[in-house]
Amino acid sequence: MNRRVRRKVAKKSKEKVGVPGNPEIGDADLCPDSNEDVDWTSLPDDTVIQLFSCLNYRDRASLSSTCKIWRVLGLSSCLWTSLDLRAHKCDPGMAVSLASRCVNLQKLRFRGAECADAIIHLQARNLREISGDYCRKITDATLSMIVARHEALETLQLGPDFCERISSDAIKATAFCCPKLKKLRLSGLRDVSAEVINALAKHCPNLIDIGLLDCLKVDEVALGNVVSVLFLSVAGTSNMKWGVVSHLWHKLPKLIGLDVSRTDIGPSAVSRLLSLSPSLKVLCAMNCPVLEEDNSFSVNKYKGKLLLALFTDIFKGLASLFADTTKTGKNVLLDWRNLKTKDKNLDEIMTWLEWILSHTLLRTAESNPQGLDAFWLKQGATILLSLMQSSQEEVQERAATGLATFVVIDDENASIDCGRAEAVMRDGGIRLLLNLAKSWREGLQSEAAKAIANLSVNANVAKAVAEEGGIQILAGLASSMNRLVAEEAAGGLWNLSVGEEHKGAIAEAGGVKALVDLIFKWFSGGDGVLERAAGALANLAADDKCSMEVALAGGVHALVMLARNCKFEGVQEQAARALANLAAHGDSNTNNAAVGQEAGALEALVQLTRSLHEGVRQEAAGALWNLSFDDRNREAIAAAGGVEALVALAQSCGNASPGLQERAAGALWGLSVSEANSIAIGREGGVVPLIALARSETEDVHETAAGALWNLAFNPGNALRIVEEGGVPALVDLCSSSASKMARFMAALALAYMFDRRMDEVAPIGTLTESTSKSANLDGARRMALKHIEAFVLTFSDPQAFATAAASSAPAALAQVTERARIQEAGHLRCSGAEIGRFVAMLRNPSSILKACAAFALLQFTIPGGRHALHHASLMQSAGAARVLRPAAAAATAPLEAKIFARIVLRNLEYHHIESSI
């Protein structure tokens, strides 16, 4: 997730001047105290070159294009001794355009086969070092062409991913073409034959550092012939004959360091190498299970030799290499870097150790073997943090990537090991990572941002990141022109935005605009950055204030564009989730309507409900549910085929996750507020899947299913369908046994709708026998329903409170009953005039149970403080409800519950009338 390295510019740097691509470059001479206009072209040439040297290639080219003088200075050969092309799409055409600058190029880093094919077009004959990653598709032909054009090559590194298409032929060509080769590190070769190794030994007399990592087969005997080698690594290589190794390699006259990490080497081979090799000083055997299983193995008997393994004290071992025995503890690597008197031999060993430790720890973190928790907590995290301060950029990057990787337990579910994450935080890792993230080197920026993002899944680390200024740094990196940097920074903002306390800070730091801009900038070429940007916006949109910021920054258009056009499921899921959250603030802002009015938004979401990916279907249904609270959106969704799509979704999600089931039922609930949609849902077959979902054991699912069935039951035809499809037992179950008061309430209301006699008008009339049978079935269902409605209402009654209220009209007595009867969530329900009228009419129903149920429902809808209480009171006033409520409250034959509830409703209406007139 992120890292950063600070580069010194001048000795006295009190003032700061902002330049593109680098957060701050200190130089008192470059930033005068006054506000006068500055003629930047009058700066000395060496100052301008120094300024250019602190910029990445893109910003350097942009700045040098501002005038002729700077354009000439920007071409200075001293600025082009190294080149990192990993973040760029480098094809032959681009390479040709850079060729004039690369005459003195000595160091090149690249990524991927396409860039490898273009290297020869740079015409950099003086190249000394080539380092490439993502090398799986690089062929023999490409590598052979590269080495043939660069005879002065001293270092060749390809990895850490496997070089699957490179064979011994290309390595042999390297030996023939590059006689000055000193360092050769290759990963994942299938076979390194004796012929190849002997060619290297013969034609590359200066070859002192060999790394054949994660190879399937290496000829051990031939490696014993490379007498020039000082440092040798076969880490991760399989099929090694350790008996042969231990009998031959100890004879290598100059061998100082040997790395056998992640192999099956045993204690006997390690013992023989340490005891018989006169020159060997360091043997690294990290994560070697066979060696670690031998509890009798002792490292203390090999005087003057250092063994680094998971069971050894690595910092103490490194300190033993120093002549000064005071260099001990966890700062040993930092102490070495700060030594005033340099020791060339020690520097070579320590530099190699930094490289192989960073590589081994990263590979170990990637494979995440069991049983290493103690190592990571006691040593591993600290070693990685120390390596992040290396002078080797590649070591810094791998250490940061290692930190990003070793904390992850489950990548799919974004689960991390909290103990490991907090160990990084305790050792000062957050500040180190943020320092790397502010580096001008984009490779360090992206890896540091990745580590910050992963670590920020832990709430304590996220808090530390925010307190250290990490939000501002990540928001700045999200605006990077480098896609990899922007992608990891967006990932960091995504994880940080999970915390409610960080959302405002992200918006204040310009994070919202940066994230929206990312979508437009990388729309055509970056699924990873788009998913992270959309995910972060989804989290931010859940906050009312931030949702407005998202809309103002153009987020609605950007997210709809993703939902309509992007084919990557991760992006679709997060875009739909973001639109759902934007639409969730219907009472406090206009985003719900704005999303619905965006061209193609509703059609895209309806289409996404048909996705093969469950997460996409779930978020799309959730968005349609939220959008359906707006009247115009509701009808537009239906016009876009939403009814058919959502019924099909409900029919198909019987075995799906509870989240998808809840949202499918919820979206149908939202659409069914319209009677026309309700009828259409019933006609399309929506009743059966909703009844099935009402039987769910998950509370949220059967709650939304009950809401949808309640709306559907308002229509007599749908009510009959519910009865015929076995919905009464399902609703009765909910009404009597659900843990959700809301589910029980809505199930009771659905049953009340179904048996207030309106359904009788549409019940089909057949033969006398059929009619009698159906009538008997309906009567049985009706009795069952009324019995459970009555039981439900009685659960909210307190006989003592009711008796007190019946004997007195004192507000306190009625308030006590109200508090007992209140269903908190019912205050969020919004009823239409027709629904309110239905309950008012139910007060005249012959059934005393339905009267009590109607009065209970009207009480819930009018309790002061409810979100829509004033709206419901207004509807009741318009319908003349008071004329019905007064007789109901005074009826001698009505049940006590109905009378008390009716009186409370009358009091609520009076309260709202007074409130509205103030």
Side-chain angles (χ1 to χ4, degrees):
M1 314 223 154
N2 36 56
R3 278 143 232 175
R4 59 135 178 217
V5 172
R6 183 61 70 81
R7 178 166 179 147
K8 261 185 199 172
V9 176
K11 291 184 180 176
K12 29 182 183 175
S13 55
K14 296 181 181 179
E15 306 294 331
K16 295 173 182 176
V17 55
V19 294
N22 199 34
E24 50 191 35
I25 295 179
D27 194 318
D29 296 330
L30 297 183
C31 190
D33 293 330
S34 69
N35 292 323
E36 299 175 3
D37 291 338
V38 177
D39 181 7
W40 292 95
T41 60
S42 65
L43 289 172
D45 289 355
D46 59 347
T47 302
V48 176
I49 289 174
Q50 182 69 29
L51 177 64
F52 280 174
S53 71
C54 298
L55 301 179
N56 60 48
Y57 310 108
R58 185 186 297 101
D59 292 334
R60 188 186 301 166
S62 177
L63 195 57
S64 67
S65 67
T66 55
C67 68
K68 291 181 179 179
I69 296 174
W70 283 17
R71 187 176 299 115
V72 172
L73 292 175
L75 294 173
S76 300
S77 58
C78 62
L79 294 173
W80 296 92
T81 57
S82 67
L83 185 61
D84 187 347
L85 295 173
R86 290 176 298 164
H88 310 278
K89 181 179 174 61
C90 183
D91 54 22
M94 178 182 175
V96 169
S97 69
L98 290 171
S100 61
R101 298 172 172 86
C102 296
V103 175
N104 295 312
L105 186 65
Q106 295 186 13
K107 181 178 180 180
L108 174 68
R109 300 188 72 181
F110 72 92
R111 173 165 291 161
E114 183 181 15
C115 192
D117 290 335
I119 287 175
I120 59 173
H121 298 284
L122 293 172
Q123 298 181 25
R125 293 284 185 177
N126 295 313
L127 260 181
R128 298 289 189 273
E129 180 177 337
I130 294 178
S131 178
D133 54 23
Y134 288 70
C135 299
R136 290 184 183 274
K137 296 183 179 180
I138 294 178
T139 63
D140 279 355
T142 297
L143 181 56
S144 298
M145 185 67 73
I146 290 172
V147 296
R149 298 291 185 92
H150 302 98
E151 299 89 346
L153 201 62
E154 296 177 358
T155 297
L156 176 63
Q157 294 184 175
L158 299 178
D161 47 313
F162 296 172
C163 303
E164 296 175 344
R165 301 177 67 181
I166 294 177
S167 71
S168 295
D169 292 340
I171 305 171
K172 193 191 305 182
T174 302
F176 291 146
C177 296
C178 304
K180 297 181 180 180
L181 196 65
K182 294 180 179 179
K183 186 186 298 181
L184 178 66
R185 294 170 177 163
L186 303 172
S187 295
L189 300 175
R190 295 183 182 278
D191 182 14
V192 185
S193 66
E195 183 183 6
V196 169
I197 296 172
N198 289 332
L200 289 168
K202 179 179 179 181
H203 299 285
C204 303
N206 299 318
L207 187 58
I208 60 173
D209 187 334
I210 298 177
L212 298 172
L213 310 150
D214 297 293
C215 297
L216 291 179
K217 184 180 179 183
V218 173
D219 192 288
E220 307 90 345
V221 175
L223 275 175
N225 298 330
V226 189
V227 294
S228 62
V229 70
L230 301 179
F231 303 101
L232 173 61
S233 175
V234 290
T237 293
S238 54
N239 302 310
M240 296 290 292
K241 300 180 180 64
W242 295 111
V244 174
V245 168
S246 62
H247 281 82
L248 290 178
W249 290 8
H250 71 83
K251 300 175 183 177
L252 288 168
K254 298 180 181 180
L255 185 65
I256 297 173
L258 175 61
D259 177 22
V260 294
S261 299
R262 301 181 294 111
T263 65
D264 59 355
I265 192 171
S268 60
V270 170
S271 179
R272 188 173 179 83
L273 287 166
L274 287 173
S275 59
L276 296 181
S277 175
S279 60
L280 186 65
K281 292 185 177 181
V282 182
L283 195 156
C284 187
M286 304 279 286
N287 193 20
C288 295
V290 177
L291 176 64
E292 292 156 9
E293 288 169 3
D294 188 341
N295 297 324
S296 63
F297 185 81
S298 173
V299 299
N300 298 321
K301 59 183 179 180
Y302 305 106
K303 301 300 181 184
K305 310 285 186 179
L306 171 60
L307 174 65
L308 297 180
L310 295 182
F311 53 82
T312 66
D313 186 329
I314 292 172
F315 286 110
K316 183 178 179 180
L318 294 176
S320 69
L321 296 172
F322 291 81
D324 183 356
T325 56
T326 63
K327 305 297 183 185
T328 60
K330 295 181 178 180
N331 293 322
V332 63
L333 288 174
L334 186 61
D335 291 340
W336 160 65
R337 297 181 197 114
N338 294 332
L339 283 175
K340 294 181 180 179
T341 304
K342 296 296 182 181
D343 181 330
K344 180 176 179 294
N345 293 329
L346 177 63
D347 288 349
E348 285 183 345
I349 294 172
M350 296 299 288
T351 300
W352 177 75
L353 279 173
E354 281 192 334
W355 193 92
I356 61 111
L357 283 173
S358 66
H359 185 279
T360 289
L361 290 177
L362 174 56
R363 282 299 199 203
T364 302
E366 288 171 343
S367 62
N368 194 24
Q370 298 295 314
L372 293 190
D373 281 349
F375 167 75
W376 286 121
L377 293 175
K378 291 179 181 178
Q379 297 195 82
T382 308
I383 296 170
L384 288 171
L385 291 174
S386 186
L387 292 172
M388 277 185 4
Q389 301 169 74
S390 170
S391 60
Q392 301 179 73
E393 183 180 353
E394 187 177 3
V395 169
Q396 288 179 305
E397 288 183 17
R398 285 188 180 169
T401 308
L403 285 174
T405 306
F406 95 111
V407 296
V408 177
I409 299 172
D410 183 350
D411 194 29
E412 287 295 320
N413 297 309
S415 299
I416 68 168
D417 187 301
C418 294
R420 296 180 186 182
E422 294 185 11
V424 174
M425 181 174 65
R426 285 194 301 272
D427 286 342
I430 303 306
R431 175 47 46 191
L432 287 172
L433 286 166
L434 290 173
N435 284 339
L436 283 188
K438 291 193 291 186
S439 167
W440 65 275
R441 294 185 173 95
E442 293 174 331
L444 293 174
Q445 290 175 354
S446 66
E447 296 307 317
K450 183 188 299 180
I452 289 290
N454 283 2
L455 289 163
S456 295
V457 172
N458 178 273
N460 293 329
V461 175
K463 181 181 179 182
V465 170
E467 290 173 349
E468 293 277 3
I471 288 175
Q472 291 82 354
I473 293 171
L474 290 172
L477 293 178
S479 300
S480 172
M481 293 298 292
N482 182 318
R483 182 180 60 79
L484 298 177
V485 174
E487 180 175 322
E488 301 302 350
L493 294 175
W494 186 1
N495 288 342
L496 284 166
S497 62
V498 171
E500 294 297 323
E501 66 275 25
H502 305 313
K503 289 182 169 68
I506 291 172
E508 290 173 11
V512 171
K513 185 178 187 307
L515 290 164
V516 172
D517 289 346
L518 276 183
I519 293 175
F520 293 115
K521 186 186 300 180
W522 301 107
F523 178 72
S524 298
D527 292 338
V529 69
L530 295 176
E531 180 180 13
R532 288 163 175 77
L537 290 172
N539 288 347
L540 293 168
D543 176 82
D544 183 29
K545 185 177 178 181
C546 289
S547 75
M548 291 299 295
E549 294 275 352
V550 173
L552 289 172
V556 173
H557 179 63
L559 292 164
V560 170
M561 182 175 69
L562 292 181
R564 291 181 66 185
N565 301 307
C566 188
K567 303 305 179 186
F568 181 62
E569 291 166 343
V571 177
Q572 293 174 339
E573 180 177 354
Q574 296 308 321
R577 186 169 73 90
L579 291 170
N581 287 346
L582 281 172
H585 309 282
D587 292 339
S588 55
N589 63 47
T590 60
N591 287 346
N592 190 303
V595 172
Q597 291 165 15
E598 182 69 30
L602 301 179
E603 293 83 355
L605 289 168
V606 168
Q607 185 61 35
L608 290 180
T609 64
R610 301 185 176 99
S611 169
L612 297 177
H613 187 273
E614 181 172 312
V616 176
R617 298 197 302 273
Q618 175 173 310
E619 299 303 341
L624 292 171
W625 182 9
N626 287 347
L627 289 164
S628 67
F629 284 92
D630 179 87
D631 294 342
R632 284 183 297 180
N633 286 346
R634 190 182 307 121
E635 303 313 315
I637 291 169
V643 169
E644 296 83 355
L646 289 166
V647 168
L649 181 62
Q651 290 169 337
S652 67
C653 69
N655 296 318
S657 67
L660 175 55
Q661 293 176 335
E662 178 198 5
R663 286 161 178 79
L668 289 172
W669 181 11
L671 286 185
S672 62
V673 169
S674 156
E675 186 167 13
N677 290 344
S678 174
I679 294 169
I681 291 169
R683 190 185 317 120
E684 286 293 325
V687 168
V688 173
L690 286 170
I691 291 172
L693 293 175
R695 294 192 173 100
S696 168
E697 295 180 0
T698 304
E699 187 174 309
D700 290 338
V701 177
H702 62 233
E703 190 172 291
T704 52
L709 289 170
W710 170 38
N711 281 352
L712 291 180
F714 185 84
N715 175 264
N718 282 338
L720 184 61
R721 286 191 182 95
I722 294 171
V723 174
E724 292 174 341
E725 297 295 348
V728 173
L731 289 168
V732 162
D733 266 354
L734 284 185
C735 186
S736 60
S737 61
S738 174
S740 164
K741 286 184 180 180
M742 272 292 285
R744 292 165 58 204
F745 177 51
M746 291 185 292
L749 298 188
L751 290 169
Y753 277 170
M754 292 161 61
F755 295 105
D756 66 353
R757 298 296 184 186
R758 294 198 186 187
M759 184 176 64
D760 299 348
E761 301 168 7
V762 297
I765 301 174
T767 65
L768 180 61
T769 305
E770 290 173 345
S771 179
T772 302
S773 174
K774 288 178 180 177
S775 176
N777 289 338
L778 284 175
D779 285 344
R782 186 173 188 275
R783 284 193 299 273
M784 183 196 306
L786 292 178
K787 174 184 175 182
H788 285 87
I789 292 172
E790 180 180 29
F792 167 74
V793 173
L794 287 176
T795 59
F796 293 90
S797 65
D798 181 340
Q800 185 176 350
F802 270 52
T804 303
S808 168
S809 296
L814 295 179
Q816 186 179 359
V817 175
T818 301
E819 195 56 37
R820 166 79 182 185
R822 178 195 292 266
I823 299 174
Q824 197 69 39
E825 299 88 343
H828 298 291
L829 296 173
R830 180 183 175 93
C831 296
S832 66
E835 289 172 304
I836 292 294
R838 181 88 170 255
F839 287 114
V840 171
M842 209 179 289
L843 291 170
R844 296 192 179 104
N845 194 284
S847 168
S848 60
I849 295 173
L850 290 180
K851 286 179 182 177
C853 181
F856 180 78
L858 292 172
L859 180 151
Q860 301 299 330
F861 299 147
T862 58
I863 291 177
R867 182 184 294 181
H868 304 295
L870 189 59
H871 164 72
H872 293 146
S874 175
L875 293 176
M876 291 178 69
Q877 297 283 7
S878 300
R883 293 193 299 273
V884 181
L885 284 164
R886 289 190 188 98
T893 59
L896 182 59
E897 295 81 15
K899 291 193 287 187
I900 299 300
F901 290 151
R903 285 169 56 187
I904 295 172
V905 176
L906 283 168
R907 191 192 66 157
N908 291 347
L909 292 180
E910 291 171 7
Y911 171 86
H912 291 302
H913 178 69
I914 295 170
E915 185 183 38
S916 62
S917 62
I918 294 176

